[in-house]
Amino acid sequence: MRRTLVWAVAAVMIASACGVEGGDGSASAGPDTVRSVVALEKFDDCSSLLGHLRAAGKERVGPYGFSSGYAMNLAAPGALAEERATTSDAAAAAQAQSTGAGFSTTNVQEEAVDEPDIVKNDAERILTIDSNSNDGRPRLVYFSIDDGRARIAGRLDLPPNAGRELLVAGDRVMVVGFGNGPIPVDFAGGDAAIEDRAIAPGPQKIETVVTVVDVSDPASMKVTDVLHLEGSYASARMVGGVARLVLNSQSSRLAFDIPTGGSAEEMRQSLDQNREVVAESPIDAWLPHFVRKDASGRPLEEGTVAACESTYRPKEFSGFGTVSVVTIDPANPDPQRSSTVLGDAGVVYASPQNLYVATQRWPEPQPVVIEDEGGLEAPDPLPPPTRTELHRFDISDEVRAVYAASGQVIGTVLNQWSMSEHEGFLRVATTEDRVPPSGSPSSSSAVTVLTTRGTQLAKVGSVEGLGEGERIFGVRFVGDTGYVVTFRQIDPLYVIDLSQPTRPRLLGELKIPGYSAYLHPVGDGRLLGVGQDASEDGMRLGAQVSLFDVGDPTNPRQLDKIRLDNSSSPIEHDHHAFLYWGAKSLAVVPVESYQAVTPDRSSVQQRSAAVGFRVTSDDLREVGRASHGKHADPNSGLASVQRSIVIGDTIFTLSAAGLLASDIESFAERGWVSFN
């Protein structure tokens, strides 16, 4: 029977041969063990880039374009998404919220590297987004703070897709969001027959929207610029008032033919036409575009986000998507200064000098088959990814980010906290899932140390065999020490010595029920953990705050713990929700709980509060709770506490309903300001 092979294509990243080291907590080092390196090649000009894309596209395009008619779920598993927050690199960063200026700031991973969040503040103002307005439009809200009292000093309606994440540089606020729109198919190949072909029904363009607002006059805030950047938003960082946005984009301007029926002849005809589309495509059909508009919506400039001469590719096929690091100065938001790698972005981490993008390498799919009688024969499912690719971009230049080096490690990262740069070395915590052809799946974790050698991130040492049969739930790097939490039924807390990057070693471990998803150093050899308590068989029992003594790294101990039954904390997946105010040794943890209100438990009530804990050298003590429940319906979700802020002697807690002021010592309520 005659059959035609067609490749099913995913936006996959780089692959290179790499062995798997083993051993229980063993370390490997030395030049003979330097592996996991990935070399990227730079395109000289648009002609070479277009030639590569046309050749790869013609080989892999199918009758339905690059989807080949099958919806393949190629998103990375939960381990790659930033699902759970853990912690940071330097002891100084641990106290980043305690500014010494009498007010807290966003809980970030690295000192001097700001991260986008739903609220920003200083000693005199709190800026946030009200997303629950009656007309459905988001509004930027400016709270003026005076002597512990808050009032709304200004509101500004924003575009519908403005989003909620904020970055602030002086009196310029960047609001980052995303939206969808029709794909602008501006290339049809120049042939009338091709121009008239059917287009895939309902294609949508994914774009990142950056709205720049001047807030120098709170009563009359104004939008100065709106940037529409083609591609999905991965994350952003701001250093020295300059933002770096990481964007994913898939080629969306190729007008592929779509067969109207399922016969083999129709599919082959569409396949031939789609190959012609690829062969005649211009470079603009492959690269992401941008449009910069003024406040009235009038276009000021437009072009491609990626420049051909600053685009890189691996030697092996990595997909047709691009990951671009775009530099945006809020004072002059021109987005044309980007560095681009062919592939797809996953987890983003940044130090003051470098930004790293981690993604997973998926094996290239097997071909689908067009049967003579019509229809497609699907390929075998893809095995899970087993390696994480890492790309380093130099962000020391305020004008643009410059691609610097790439490498790879075995396993997958949990989130941004799985990476840490310290004294020129990158430390990466990963979990490797092994799925043998027969037998039960297994897993173990490792910490790998890499350094830059030319354009390669080369492995120089590792500690492996951590948490056999378990996954990483939390990571913290503090100077020369790494803390790794794995969990399945029992929570092992591993302490790793990284003072010799080529000879890292496991110093100690503590096994207790439950897990800590977030770890925060609180001074004097103490570590605070936020996560879940669990039974001996791994059943989660409620949010738990733990105090660990790690002064002796060979013998970590749990000093105290407080469990809040039938509850959880958003800190597990969002570290920005955590507040530690060192001046008062105060940790503030938002908690969600559900409690039965009828004897038969047929009716439950949602409760939310920001719980304050006093942290001493030996124990934890609850000092108070700030709740928005009496100001908004607890079951509506509007009363859920999202952030906590210290200004002077006042704790401000933010929910979707408004802002509550409380006394920092007793948590007694001082005042309430509703968004409405």
Side-chain angles (χ1 to χ4, degrees):
M1 180 172 60
R2 185 171 176 270
R3 302 190 296 179
T4 302
L5 297 182
V6 182
W7 287 93
V9 178
V12 295
M13 283 299 287
I14 311 142
S16 64
C18 178
V20 178
E21 295 88 349
D24 185 7
S26 61
S28 61
D32 57 338
T33 62
V34 174
R35 310 178 206 163
S36 303
V37 293
V38 178
L40 297 191
E41 298 178 352
K42 184 179 180 180
F43 291 100
D44 295 328
D45 49 33
C46 288
S47 177
S48 60
L49 174 56
L50 180 59
H52 166 77
L53 293 169
R54 282 178 172 178
K58 187 176 180 180
E59 179 183 352
R60 292 168 173 83
V61 74
Y64 293 88
F66 291 138
S67 68
S68 294
Y70 282 89
M72 302 179 65
N73 181 14
L74 295 178
L80 181 62
E82 298 194 12
E83 290 186 332
R84 309 179 187 95
T86 44
T87 25
S88 92
D89 174 67
Q95 307 298 330
Q97 288 181 284
S98 300
T99 62
F103 61 92
S104 63
T105 57
T106 302
N107 183 28
V108 298
Q109 183 174 7
E110 294 283 0
E111 191 175 20
V113 181
D114 197 15
E115 300 176 11
D117 194 18
I118 64 173
V119 61
K120 292 293 177 180
N121 72 281
D122 54 29
E124 299 177 345
R125 64 185 183 181
I126 296 176
L127 294 157
T128 189
I129 301 293
D130 175 14
S131 299
N132 297 286
S133 59
N134 292 332
D135 59 8
R137 294 190 62 178
R139 290 189 176 94
L140 179 64
V141 180
Y142 189 121
F143 290 96
S144 179
I145 308 300
D146 183 20
D147 193 26
R149 298 183 180 275
R151 65 178 181 87
I152 295 179
R155 291 186 176 94
L156 177 67
D157 289 342
L158 297 172
N161 295 327
R164 290 201 69 189
E165 290 200 333
L166 307 178
L167 285 167
V168 177
D171 286 328
R172 291 292 176 103
V173 175
M174 288 177 52
V175 186
V176 184
F178 61 91
N180 296 319
I183 293 177
V185 181
D186 52 11
F187 169 67
D191 183 283
I194 298 176
E195 289 177 2
D196 293 337
R197 65 182 170 271
I199 308 279
Q204 291 287 300
K205 170 184 67 175
I206 298 177
E207 65 177 10
T208 297
V209 181
V210 179
T211 306
V212 182
V213 182
D214 181 351
V215 298
S216 56
D217 182 356
S220 58
M221 295 183 291
K222 59 183 179 181
V223 173
T224 62
D225 297 88
V226 180
L227 301 177
H228 296 263
L229 302 159
E230 203 167 350
S232 60
Y233 169 67
S235 192
R237 296 293 185 271
M238 178 174 276
V239 178
V242 177
R244 321 286 178 158
L245 272 68
V246 181
L247 305 178
N248 284 306
S249 179
Q250 301 298 320
S251 55
S252 60
R253 295 169 181 263
L254 296 173
F256 288 124
D257 182 83
I258 302 299
T260 56
S263 70
E265 181 58 32
E266 287 176 304
M267 289 190 180
R268 292 190 185 101
Q269 182 178 0
S270 293
L271 174 59
D272 291 341
Q273 291 183 348
N274 289 342
R275 285 174 175 166
E276 185 177 353
V277 168
V278 171
E280 298 182 10
S281 60
I283 189 63
D284 281 359
W286 297 91
L287 298 179
H289 290 230
F290 79 91
V291 178
R292 177 183 176 187
K293 301 179 181 180
D294 62 16
S296 64
R298 180 173 60 90
L300 299 175
E301 59 179 322
E302 56 185 287
T304 58
V305 172
C308 299
E309 63 274 10
S310 60
T311 299
Y312 298 78
R313 74 171 181 92
K315 292 180 179 179
E316 299 188 28
F317 175 71
S318 61
F320 301 109
T322 61
V323 49
S324 298
V325 180
V326 183
T327 300
I328 299 178
D329 182 351
N332 180 29
D334 177 2
Q336 297 183 79
R337 296 161 289 190
S338 69
S339 191
T340 300
V341 173
L342 295 185
D344 199 19
V347 175
V348 176
Y349 158 77
S351 70
Q353 295 79 33
N354 295 294
L355 182 144
Y356 295 85
V357 177
T359 190
Q360 293 176 352
R361 165 63 169 145
W362 289 85
E364 185 165 357
Q366 297 299 307
V368 297
V369 176
I370 299 176
E371 301 284 2
D372 281 341
E373 62 272 16
L376 300 177
E377 179 182 306
D380 293 334
L382 293 179
T386 58
R387 298 177 179 90
T388 294
E389 312 295 346
L390 303 163
H391 303 285
R392 179 171 76 83
F393 296 85
D394 184 342
I395 58 172
S396 58
D397 186 344
E398 292 185 359
V399 175
R400 62 175 298 176
V402 179
Y403 167 77
S406 293
Q408 75 171 0
V409 292
I410 296 173
T412 57
V413 298
L414 173 68
N415 52 34
Q416 69 182 69
W417 304 95
S418 298
M419 295 178 279
S420 165
E421 183 185 87
H422 183 66
E423 297 183 349
F425 293 92
L426 177 68
R427 296 85 63 90
V428 185
T430 57
T431 295
E432 180 190 7
D433 292 305
R434 297 181 291 268
V435 184
S438 61
S440 301
S442 61
S443 63
S444 68
S445 298
V447 173
T448 304
V449 184
L450 303 100
T451 191
T452 299
R453 293 178 177 169
T455 59
Q456 297 178 341
L457 290 172
K459 171 185 170 182
V460 297
S462 65
V463 173
E464 297 153 5
L466 304 175
E468 291 288 344
E470 301 175 331
R471 296 193 60 84
I472 289 177
F473 268 56
V475 183
R476 179 113 197 181
F477 293 101
V478 182
D480 289 329
T481 305
Y483 302 97
V484 177
V485 172
T486 62
F487 177 72
R488 185 177 179 185
Q489 293 177 315
I490 298 296
D491 167 11
L493 169 65
Y494 296 100
V495 183
I496 301 169
D497 177 15
L498 296 162
S499 59
Q500 298 184 58
T502 60
R503 297 288 177 186
R505 59 196 180 105
L506 177 63
L507 293 179
E509 64 179 280
L510 169 67
K511 292 187 177 182
I512 54 176
Y515 63 85
S516 294
Y518 181 84
L519 298 169
H520 196 94
V522 292
D524 297 327
R526 300 297 187 262
L527 198 63
L528 197 68
V530 180
Q532 284 277 318
D533 193 9
S535 63
E536 294 294 338
D537 59 2
M539 179 178 295
R540 302 177 193 189
L541 303 174
Q544 178 175 268
V545 180
S546 303
L547 181 63
F548 299 101
D549 178 0
V550 292
D552 178 0
T554 65
N555 183 34
R557 298 181 299 135
Q558 186 182 60
L559 298 174
D560 197 8
K561 68 176 184 179
I562 295 178
R563 186 179 81 198
L564 305 172
D565 291 338
N566 302 315
S567 67
S568 62
S569 174
I571 293 172
E572 285 196 50
H573 54 81
D574 186 356
H575 62 280
H576 297 142
F578 179 80
L579 169 69
Y580 181 71
W581 187 241
K584 295 288 186 180
S585 300
L586 178 68
V588 183
V589 178
V591 173
E592 298 285 334
S593 65
Y594 294 87
Q595 298 185 4
V597 295
T598 57
D600 62 358
R601 307 181 70 84
S602 60
S603 178
V604 297
Q605 184 179 58
Q606 179 181 354
R607 295 184 179 179
S608 173
V611 185
F613 298 93
R614 192 77 66 206
V615 183
T616 73
S617 60
D618 298 314
D619 61 16
L620 301 167
R621 178 172 57 88
E622 182 178 329
V623 296
R625 301 189 179 198
S627 173
H628 295 201
K630 73 177 184 179
H631 302 289
D633 180 2
N635 292 311
S636 68
L638 297 179
S640 297
V641 175
Q642 299 169 331
R643 296 292 184 268
S644 303
I645 298 166
V646 171
I647 299 178
D649 62 354
T650 303
I651 287 274
F652 292 95
T653 50
L654 179 73
S655 70
L659 188 70
L660 178 68
S662 304
D663 179 76
I664 196 171
E665 296 289 348
S666 65
F667 277 55
E669 183 172 326
R670 285 182 169 179
W672 167 259
V673 181
S674 171
F675 280 124
N676 294 323

